[in-house]
Amino acid sequence: MTIEPTVGHPPSAPEPNGDGVKRLYVCGITPYDATHLGHAATYVGYDLLVRAWLDAGHEVAYVQNVTDVDDPLLERATATDRDWRELADEQTELFRSDMTNLRVLPPTHYVGAVESIPLAVEAVERMVATGAAYRVDTPDALEQGSPGDVYAALSVDPDFGSVSGWSRDEMLEVFAERGGDPQREGKRDALDPLLWRVARIDEPTWRGGELGEGRPGWHIECAIIAAHHLGLPIDVQGGGNDLLFPHHEMSESHLRVLSGRPGAVRLHAHGGMLSFDGAKMSKSLGNLVLVSRLVAAGEEPTTIRLALLQGHYSEDREYSGAVLDEARNRLALWRRAVSAAPEGGRAAEEAVLKAVRDAVRANLDSPRALAVVDEWALGVLGGSALPDGGAATGDRAAPVARPGQDEPGGLVADTVDALLGIDLGA
Ligand code: ZN
């Protein structure tokens, strides 16, 4: 019994790892701003995958990076007169506490970009040596006679473009706004991505061996962290759908070139973007809803998690106060039903387990899973407590004494806990 999400790019050449371990790599945060609901939706989505794999008896190896040095982080630190390392540490801690509050099972390894720089240096040196990368004249380099920035030569990778399936025009359209530098002079191709940025004035740098002092590009970081800590092939590479191109396209290209194997990633799965009252949630628009702020305002994290599960992970979706109200009412409904579950209802509870499990295994279909539990709860309560109205509206959904596994309601409580990460108990 395997869990195979069906959204995303189909694997080009799957080869079994042979050890039964499921390998998941999810692109992590750049820690310069607290976790907003869009991030949370992504990580809660992949948490369903982890739970589904564990439920199916797989061992799971899950790696997430932390981009703890990057241009946006450095810019934010400068703008707010902070030390970039302190800012990164503080925001990484806040992110982890948000994830704990949301009951996201922690990755096997959180890996920082900074600690991975020696791996990146070794990989980029190898790409230069084999002609898969080249140097570009860098007049503003800190050191005179610097060997220059290093770029990947995409022309050596015949499968480039297979992750997104986009045309060259489509790629060029978003490349610049997503961190690329199509205009950079001296590049062989406008789309060639940066692998190593040599030292500039007032920028942190690290020893780069033959590359000179500098720091790695973003795509090579994820590629080498994934390859080193998980091994290839990776079963699922995940992230928000804004990472499809260029980030995942470039990362997999680097993995192909470095490993010499076409099927470095079996499946790319992308999470949808969250919008708030009609506009995409983004830092530039200033409409971020922060998990930590909702919790500080008294919202129960379980309600926030449930609100995120009301939409399918892969779909762009809307967040609003009404979505949170719906989750609050749903949580109250489920808790009342678990408390009121009748003796002799075991068969119905087993049916809930099976249907929720089937829904999660069908490409992490959380809306369907929630509907299954709703139906059971309404059945228990005699249809008297619809989630979107009536007596339940505005309930704070006080946690209930959680029934034991063999007591009425216990199997449903365990099901939503294990598969959906929703804890109904006190
Ligand atoms: Zn990444």
Side-chain angles (χ1 to χ4, degrees):
M1 226 176 310
T2 55
I3 311 304
E4 301 295 352
T6 53
V7 167
H9 168 65
S12 44
E15 281 175 49
N17 277 314
D19 56 6
V21 177
K22 290 291 182 184
R23 291 169 167 77
L24 171 66
Y25 185 87
V26 180
C27 290
I29 55 160
T30 298
Y32 64 103
D33 225 335
T35 322
H36 64 76
L37 278 181
H39 291 136
T42 299
Y43 301 111
V44 166
Y46 295 107
D47 187 54
L48 287 189
L49 175 61
V50 170
R51 287 169 184 272
W53 274 340
L54 292 174
D55 176 55
H58 295 294
E59 192 183 326
V60 177
Y62 175 11
V63 170
Q64 198 183 107
N65 68 311
V66 183
T67 309
D68 51 6
V69 59
D70 199 15
D71 293 337
L73 169 66
L74 298 174
E75 284 159 17
R76 174 61 61 91
T78 305
T80 54
D81 203 19
R82 304 269 322 262
D83 180 279
W84 64 272
R85 278 157 296 222
E86 268 177 37
L87 179 63
D89 287 348
E90 174 195 292
Q91 294 299 314
T92 301
E93 270 316 301
L94 186 54
F95 170 71
R96 290 185 190 177
S97 74
D98 284 345
M99 290 301 106
T100 304
N101 274 333
L102 292 173
R103 300 188 82 220
V104 171
L105 300 173
T108 326
H109 302 290
Y110 274 118
V111 185
V114 170
E115 64 182 289
S116 309
I117 287 174
L119 290 172
V121 169
E122 187 271 328
V124 176
E125 283 176 345
R126 206 141 47 86
M127 287 172 76
V128 171
T130 59
Y134 58 94
R135 293 195 168 89
V136 168
D137 205 27
T138 308
D140 60 337
L142 187 62
E143 285 171 51
Q144 288 223 320
S146 153
D149 295 339
V150 181
Y151 283 80
L154 292 173
S155 58
V156 304
D157 175 17
D159 287 336
F160 174 72
S162 61
V163 174
S164 65
W166 289 10
S167 70
R168 185 175 169 82
D169 281 349
E170 288 171 315
M171 292 177 180
L172 282 167
E173 213 178 294
V174 302
F175 189 53
E177 72 193 49
R178 294 186 182 173
D181 53 357
Q183 312 287 357
R184 172 74 190 265
E185 247 175 76
K187 279 178 27 169
R188 293 180 193 166
D189 186 296
L191 290 172
D192 285 349
L194 178 75
L195 291 172
W196 186 256
R197 179 178 164 88
V198 293
R200 308 293 206 279
I201 191 163
D202 287 340
E203 285 186 7
T205 62
W206 286 265
R207 263 186 229 133
E210 295 161 18
L211 307 174
E213 296 259 318
R215 61 189 162 99
W218 178 32
H219 316 307
I220 190 72
E221 280 169 10
C222 275
I224 49 105
I225 290 172
H228 184 80
H229 293 276
L230 287 174
L232 300 180
I234 296 156
D235 289 285
V236 175
Q237 165 135 30
N241 61 19
D242 55 344
L243 297 185
L244 172 62
F245 187 88
H247 186 52
H248 287 171
E249 189 77 74
M250 301 299 182
S251 274
E252 188 174 346
S253 173
H254 298 336
L255 283 175
R256 270 195 300 270
V257 167
L258 284 163
S259 68
R261 63 191 301 163
V265 177
R266 287 199 166 117
L267 185 87
H268 285 273
H270 291 100
M273 294 288 113
L274 229 57
S275 58
F276 181 52
D277 286 341
K280 182 188 155 179
M281 214 177 271
S282 76
K283 290 183 178 81
S284 51
L285 288 175
N287 63 348
L288 300 184
V289 178
L290 302 185
V291 173
S292 50
R293 221 169 276 164
L294 286 175
V295 172
E299 200 60 69
E300 194 185 346
T302 311
T303 304
I304 302 170
R305 181 173 172 112
L306 200 48
L308 296 171
L309 294 176
Q310 284 167 183
H312 191 266
Y313 87 95
S314 71
E315 281 167 11
D316 289 342
R317 52 201 196 269
E318 174 76 21
Y319 169 81
S320 66
V323 172
L324 210 52
D325 288 343
E326 187 186 336
R328 215 178 285 130
N329 293 336
R330 173 170 275 121
L331 190 56
L333 170 73
W334 290 8
R335 283 180 168 156
R336 286 213 306 276
V338 161
S339 303
E343 296 280 350
R346 185 75 182 183
E349 293 193 36
E350 280 170 4
V352 169
L353 167 60
K354 181 178 181 314
V356 169
R357 186 177 265 159
D358 287 350
V360 173
R361 289 180 183 188
N363 196 16
L364 313 177
D365 191 346
S366 59
R368 196 171 110 202
L370 267 49
V372 167
V373 184
D374 286 349
E375 202 187 334
W376 172 83
L378 290 172
V380 166
L381 297 171
S384 63
L386 292 168
D388 57 352
T393 303
D395 272 10
R396 274 286 164 181
V400 293
R402 180 148 160 196
Q405 206 173 18
D406 298 321
E407 291 168 5
L411 185 57
V412 170
D414 283 356
T415 297
V416 300
D417 180 358
L419 286 166
L420 303 175
I422 297 296
D423 185 4
L424 300 177

